[in-house]
Amino acid sequence: MRTAFYISDGTAITSEVFGHATLSLFPVEFNHKTIPFVETEAKANEVKALINATSQREGEKPLVFFTFVNHSLSEIIRSSNAVSYDFLTTFSDKIQDELKVAPVPKVHRTHSMHEKSYDFRIDAVNYALTNDDGANIKNYAEADIILVGVSRSGKTPTSLYLALQYGIKAANYPLTEDDLETGKLPACLTSYKQKLFGLTIDPLRLADIRQRRMANSKYASLKQCRIEVREVEMLYKKHKLPYLNSTHHSVEEISAKIISDTGLERRKY
C-alpha cells in the first residue's frame, strides 16, 4: 500500500481535500497521513526525514500533497524523496497572470477564524444540539431546515455537519412507528412543512446500524426496518416532501445535496 502525505503550515485541510479528490480517481489503496502546522524549518526537516524513511521502508516514493505560504518550507518538503504536488503555487501563478495582481501570502488565511462566520457556525451548532432528535420543538420557527426520518437514518450527523460547515440551523425530528401508522405529519411539524426535508435508507443498512445499538431487538429487526422505511417513504410522497436516500452517501454528500435541492445558502457574514 502506497503512502500519501498531506502537509501544510496551516490545518492541511486544503491539501487533504485536493489530494483525496485526486487520488479517489485511481483504483489504488493508500495509507493516508496528514501533518498540519509545519511552521518552522526544523519541523519541515522532521517531516522530510519521515517521508524519506517511509520511502526507504516501502521501496517506493510516497505521494506528497502540500500547501505552504512560506517558500523555504516548500523547498524543504520538495527536496524529500517523494513525488510532490504543490497546489497553491500551481494555481496561484496562473491566477496571478490572469488578474495581473501578485498574491499576498498569509499563514492560516484559508481556515482562520472570521469572526462573523465563526459566530454563525457556533450558533448553528448549538441550535442543532439543542434541537436534536425532537428533544425541543419550541424553536422550530428559527430553523432553516428540519430533517425528518426514521431512527438512525442519518439525521443527527447531517444536522451537525450543516451547522458546522454551512452555518445552517438544522433541527431534526424522528418519525416513530406511531407517527407512521397514522400517515400524518406530527402536529408539531405541520406549521413548518416548507422547512421539512426527509431522509430514507436501505432497510438492510438500517437493520445493520440498529443491531449495533440494540442487538436482537424488534427495533433492529429487518422486518421492522422494512416496514418503517416503506411507510416513511409513503409519508414523504403523500405530503410531497423532498427526501434523499442516505444509504450510499457520506454526510458531506448528503449535506451538499440538501443545500442544492433546497436552495439554502452558506452563511458567511
Side-chain angles (χ1 to χ4, degrees):
M1 184 183 297
R2 197 158 184 176
T3 297
F5 287 91
Y6 310 97
I7 307 168
S8 176
D9 49 8
T11 63
I13 292 174
T14 301
S15 55
E16 266 192 335
V17 169
F18 274 101
H20 277 278
T22 303
L23 295 182
S24 70
L25 300 173
F26 302 92
V28 177
E29 288 191 22
F30 293 93
N31 178 25
H32 303 280
K33 292 185 180 294
T34 301
I35 307 176
F37 303 116
V38 180
E39 300 176 288
T40 65
E41 291 192 3
K43 180 64 175 178
N45 279 308
E46 287 181 18
V47 174
K48 175 182 175 180
L50 175 62
I51 294 170
N52 289 343
T54 301
S55 176
Q56 184 174 11
R57 182 179 67 253
E58 297 181 352
E60 56 185 352
K61 294 182 178 180
L63 305 181
V64 175
F65 301 90
F66 67 88
T67 55
F68 283 102
V69 170
N70 187 322
H71 182 69
S72 65
L73 302 181
S74 296
E75 289 306 305
I76 292 171
I77 299 301
R78 199 190 302 275
S79 68
S80 62
N81 190 32
V83 182
S84 299
Y85 304 93
D86 178 0
F87 288 118
L88 284 186
T89 301
T90 298
F91 294 105
S92 63
D93 287 351
K94 294 179 180 179
I95 294 172
Q96 177 178 342
D97 291 341
E98 177 63 28
L99 297 179
K100 306 296 188 290
V101 175
V104 181
K106 182 180 178 182
V107 177
H108 308 319
R109 174 178 286 164
T110 305
H111 298 286
S112 61
M113 189 182 80
H114 302 282
E115 185 174 341
K116 290 184 179 179
S117 62
Y118 180 80
D119 287 345
F120 273 130
R121 286 185 290 146
I122 294 304
D123 190 33
V125 169
N126 288 332
Y127 181 87
L129 291 171
T130 302
N131 296 276
D132 180 43
D133 210 28
N136 183 4
I137 62 175
K138 296 182 295 183
N139 301 321
Y140 283 180
E142 298 178 30
D144 297 308
I145 191 169
I146 303 170
L147 302 182
V148 294
V150 300
S151 174
R152 316 311 293 179
S153 57
K155 301 182 301 301
T156 295
T158 302
S159 296
L160 288 170
Y161 190 86
L162 285 169
L164 187 59
Q165 187 68 19
Y166 295 95
I168 297 296
K169 286 186 175 181
N172 74 81
Y173 187 93
L175 295 171
T176 66
E177 188 175 5
D178 291 340
D179 294 325
L180 298 175
E181 285 178 355
T182 67
K184 299 178 181 179
L185 290 173
C188 63
L189 299 179
T190 54
S191 298
Y192 306 104
K193 184 178 176 181
Q194 75 280 6
K195 296 183 178 184
L196 302 183
F197 193 100
L199 292 181
T200 187
I201 188 171
D202 181 82
L204 286 169
R205 173 64 176 155
L206 181 61
D208 181 57
I209 294 170
R210 288 183 174 184
Q211 278 289 341
R212 298 176 207 168
R213 185 177 181 84
M214 295 181 64
N216 304 316
S217 63
K218 177 186 175 184
Y219 167 79
S221 71
L222 181 57
K223 179 181 179 181
Q224 180 65 22
C225 292
R226 282 175 171 159
I227 291 171
E228 290 186 30
V229 169
R230 181 180 69 245
E231 292 184 350
V232 82
E233 291 182 1
M234 289 172 60
L235 185 72
Y236 296 154
K237 293 171 184 175
K238 177 179 179 180
H239 295 280
K240 298 181 180 179
L241 301 182
Y243 69 96
L244 172 67
N245 191 313
S246 64
T247 308
H248 301 295
H249 298 292
S250 66
V251 67
E252 295 89 347
E253 291 170 322
I254 295 168
S255 300
K257 181 66 173 173
I258 289 172
I259 292 292
S260 175
D261 287 356
T262 61
L264 289 171
E265 295 184 358
R266 185 194 302 267
R267 282 201 173 88
K268 298 179 181 178
Y269 307 107

